[in-house]
Amino acid sequence: MMAVRPRRLRRGDVVRGLVREHRVAVEQLVAPLFVAERPADTGPIASMPGIARLDVDGAVREARELVALGIRSVLLFGIPAHKDAVASSNYDPQGVVQQSARAIKAALPEMLVIADVCNCEYTDHGHCGILDARGDVDNDATLELLTRTAVTYAQAGVDVVAPSDMMDGRVGAIRSALDARDHTGVAIMAYSVKYASAFYGPFRDAAGSAPQSGDRRTYQMDPPNAREALREIALDIEEGADIVMVKPGLPYLDVVRAARDSFDVPIAVFNVSGEYAAIKAAAANGWLDGDRAIDEILTAFVRAGADVVITYFAKEYAARAARRAP
Ligand code: PBG
Ligand code: ZN
């Protein structure tokens, strides 16, 4: 005889729903959007089926569709017409991210507009910071660029700035620059734990941001390190980060869990382009059931402790949730 039988609570949909421990809410998802300044740069992204580079009007249309599905947060990435050594299109008040933010906030004031703050899409060499005479990324000179850009984003109506460059001290520098100009209400979502990962491949195609020489290992984190991740998060919180992020997602769920257990601030996870591309490719080949895989993956982020999930699956997940709802 067996008094305890866990299978009793798995007998049907209703009882499984009753005892389910974790759910993914559409309102905790963030949809990334790529906005290109030049019409020639718009269109589908080959390695990210279902995702496209939009123009400013297209971004507003997409934001409307997202809101209709219950997604109220977007993360903007800009693809500028002009790149140079100092990323000057990034802090241009008429830059593509600034224009997109103004257009989305004008059309949909309730939409939370988050803007990625980095230089790699804007530099001709493709690094996230400016280079010194030796070709190394100059941390402190880069801080000045980042703060300048963040201020123009805030002026354009961005609600949250999300520095993804991994320079030391950037959260504090951005916080003081924003506060000095009365943008105390603009939040910072820091890419605190960003690993030097192979999973950014499709993004770099989409944004044309692959480094022309070398790699990002002198600033992005070394994948084997987890204690260092907690140290990065602690520093960013001290410097004023409102939300901290772990990126990529799936290979680093242990880090998401450790972050959740160690800190009380909201934790975001970025389900990156390579994770998206891998699932899409397998599903297109019939090698797995895409819908079920997506549900399982998004649930895993929430189970690991993430509050905010940034994912290219946001729209299709929300569309499916809307069809399921009574
Ligand atoms: C810019 C940036 C990258 C991503 C987000 N911000 C690329 C990189 O660091 O190379 C990756 C997003 C993705 O792969 O979906 N620094
Ligand atoms: Zn970058």
Side-chain angles (χ1 to χ4, degrees):
M1 41 152 227
M2 255 187 294
V4 182
R5 291 180 181 268
R7 287 184 57 200
R8 277 184 209 115
L9 299 183
R10 297 179 201 141
R11 277 164 52 99
D13 258 351
V14 174
V15 73
R16 285 195 297 268
L18 182 73
V19 301
R20 189 154 291 141
E21 297 178 31
H22 298 284
R23 291 184 171 77
V24 179
V26 167
E27 66 190 357
Q28 73 191 134
L29 304 182
V30 178
L33 296 182
F34 294 102
V35 195
E37 189 167 6
R38 270 193 314 220
D41 291 332
T42 61
I45 301 161
S47 52
M48 300 179 73
I51 307 292
R53 284 179 290 247
L54 308 167
D55 60 13
V56 173
D57 291 343
V60 174
R61 271 197 303 278
E62 181 69 9
R64 276 190 207 286
E65 290 180 21
L66 290 167
V67 167
L69 293 168
I71 307 250
R72 308 211 281 159
S73 306
V74 290
L75 172 59
L76 301 180
F77 291 100
I79 301 160
H82 167 79
K83 299 182 190 240
D84 58 31
V86 295
S88 58
S89 310
N90 207 0
Y91 52 79
D92 177 354
Q94 300 309 321
V96 66
V97 167
Q98 291 86 343
Q99 284 186 45
S100 307
R102 278 193 293 266
I104 293 171
K105 291 303 278 189
L108 302 159
E110 295 306 303
M111 187 108 208
L112 191 80
V113 175
I114 311 174
D116 186 272
V117 178
C118 200
N119 294 302
C120 51
E121 299 102 306
Y122 301 84
T123 50
D124 49 13
H125 48 71
H127 277 289
C128 300
I130 29 181
L131 303 182
D132 64 17
R134 287 171 40 217
D136 294 332
V137 170
D138 183 337
N139 191 93
D140 297 12
T142 300
L143 294 185
E144 211 190 303
L145 273 185
L146 294 167
T147 58
R148 205 164 154 184
T149 295
V151 167
T152 66
Y153 286 1
Q155 285 163 346
V158 162
D159 300 291
V160 182
V161 292
S164 69
D165 51 285
M166 290 299 279
M167 296 303 120
D168 294 330
R170 87 264 209 229
V171 172
I174 291 172
R175 187 69 272 159
S176 358
L178 290 174
D179 290 355
R181 286 160 191 84
D182 272 344
H183 295 297
T184 53
V186 172
I188 299 178
M189 176 168 74
Y191 285 72
S192 304
V193 183
K194 181 174 179 183
Y195 288 97
S197 171
F199 287 90
Y200 309 146
F203 176 96
R204 291 180 189 173
D205 289 342
S209 62
Q212 299 301 302
S213 65
D215 54 42
R216 304 209 201 291
R217 279 185 260 203
T218 67
Y219 40 105
Q220 298 182 346
M221 274 187 52
D222 200 21
N225 293 4
R227 287 191 304 268
E228 186 186 354
L230 299 182
R231 194 150 174 260
E232 282 281 7
I233 292 174
L235 276 173
D236 282 357
I237 293 173
E238 258 171 56
E239 291 179 32
D242 300 282
I243 303 174
V244 296
M245 191 203 298
V246 175
K247 174 187 171 193
L250 290 175
Y252 300 95
L253 290 178
D254 58 323
V255 179
V256 175
R257 169 47 57 194
R260 169 73 299 145
D261 291 342
S262 311
F263 301 101
D264 291 329
V265 301
I267 310 283
V269 65
F270 199 142
N271 179 208
V272 300
S273 59
E275 302 174 71
Y276 177 85
I279 296 297
K280 283 289 172 189
N285 276 293
W287 294 338
L288 50 69
D289 177 335
D291 288 352
R292 286 187 52 204
I294 293 165
D295 290 355
E296 200 173 322
I297 287 169
L298 299 186
T299 304
F301 292 133
V302 172
R303 197 183 59 236
D307 304 293
V308 177
V309 180
I310 304 160
T311 178
Y312 301 98
F313 294 121
K315 192 182 189 186
E316 63 169 292
Y317 180 84
R320 210 144 36 76
R323 283 197 299 274
R324 265 198 308 257

